[in-house]
Amino acid sequence: MSGTEALQARVGQLRSAWEASLAGQGLAVPQDATVLDALDRVWDASDYVAQTCVRHPGLLPWLVDSGRLTRPNAEGEMVSLLGQALAAVAGEPTLAAALRRFRRAEMVRIIWRDLAGWAPLEETLEDLTALADACICFALDLLQDWTRAELGTPLDAEGRPQGLVVLGMGKLGARELNLSSDIDLIFAY
């Protein structure tokens, strides 16, 4: 079996597992021909996307049904969606879980659009940066609020309230994150 045949067989196995998981949850395979035409190509190129879709079978149908998979984000859409996703969090464990779920969905959407050829490089870089930026900002706001409620507000030498500042360095600061980028942050008062 050639390398290409082996990859095609692997994608076929993953697709069968995904379809079985969907059926087990009473969900249907999305009927969007554009998405289905890209599925094998995307899953062949990204084991992360394939494995994520198999482990979370409702994710791809949700992305298709919402229309978010096949179009770029509208201005402020990612921030708005993250705000909705975090509206009910009540502590660090639920915050961490909600951030992971949101990141997972956005990473599948971003990678899919990139590999399907539906997004130019600039969109992919901007979406990856916007995702990191939004997660950092929302987490910072919530964690500062909870810390202030528990320990009080930090004050400077003159007694004025201070807030923690997080500076994104490197590719994050330049808004050029790619899929293999880490983020470098500086925390300061």
Side-chain angles (χ1 to χ4, degrees), residues 12-35:
Q13 291 169 345
L14 288 167
R15 191 169 182 162
S16 294
W18 174 64
E19 290 172 356
S21 292
L22 282 172
Q25 293 186 12
L27 300 170
V29 172
Q31 296 305 304
D32 186 307
T34 305
V35 172

Side-chain angles (χ1 to χ4, degrees), residues 42 61 67 74 98 108 113 125 127 130 132 139 151 158 163:
V42 171
V108 167
R113 289 184 50 72
L125 298 177
D127 280 357
L151 303 173
E158 284 80 39

Side-chain angles (χ1 to χ4, degrees), residues 11-168:
V11 169
Q13 291 169 345
L14 288 167
R15 191 169 182 162
S16 294
W18 174 64
E19 290 172 356
S21 292
L22 282 172
Q25 293 186 12
L27 300 170
V29 172
Q31 296 305 304
D32 186 307
T34 305
V35 172
L36 292 176
D37 287 344
L39 190 140
D40 288 348
R41 183 173 67 252
V42 171
W43 284 16
D44 184 37
S46 175
D47 194 52
Y48 171 81
V49 172
Q51 291 292 337
T52 300
C53 289
V54 171
R55 286 186 188 116
H56 305 278
L59 177 58
L60 186 57
W62 176 80
L63 285 169
V64 172
D65 291 345
S66 70
R68 297 196 63 242
L69 188 64
T70 56
R71 64 167 174 76
N73 276 333
E75 182 72 32
E77 183 175 14
M78 190 179 300
V79 170
S80 175
L81 290 170
L82 182 55
Q84 293 168 25
L86 299 180
V89 300
E92 286 186 53
T94 56
L95 173 61
L99 286 170
R100 280 191 301 274
R101 280 190 305 274
F102 187 79
R103 180 185 178 277
R104 179 185 313 123
E106 286 304 305
M107 290 298 287
V108 167
R109 187 189 70 77
I110 292 165
I111 295 168
W112 191 292
R113 289 184 50 72
D114 180 51
L115 294 175
W118 302 341
L121 177 62
E122 296 79 17
E123 177 186 319
T124 301
L125 298 177
E126 177 57 33
D127 280 357
L128 289 166
T129 303
L131 173 60
D133 193 45
C135 289
I136 291 165
C137 289
F138 272 95
L140 175 64
D141 288 346
L142 288 170
L143 291 167
Q144 280 194 124
D145 288 347
W146 297 335
T147 302
R148 285 181 185 133
E150 181 181 345
L151 303 173
T153 301
L155 304 174
D156 67 13
E158 284 80 39
R160 294 177 298 220
Q162 288 191 324
L164 184 65
V165 175
V166 179
L167 301 172

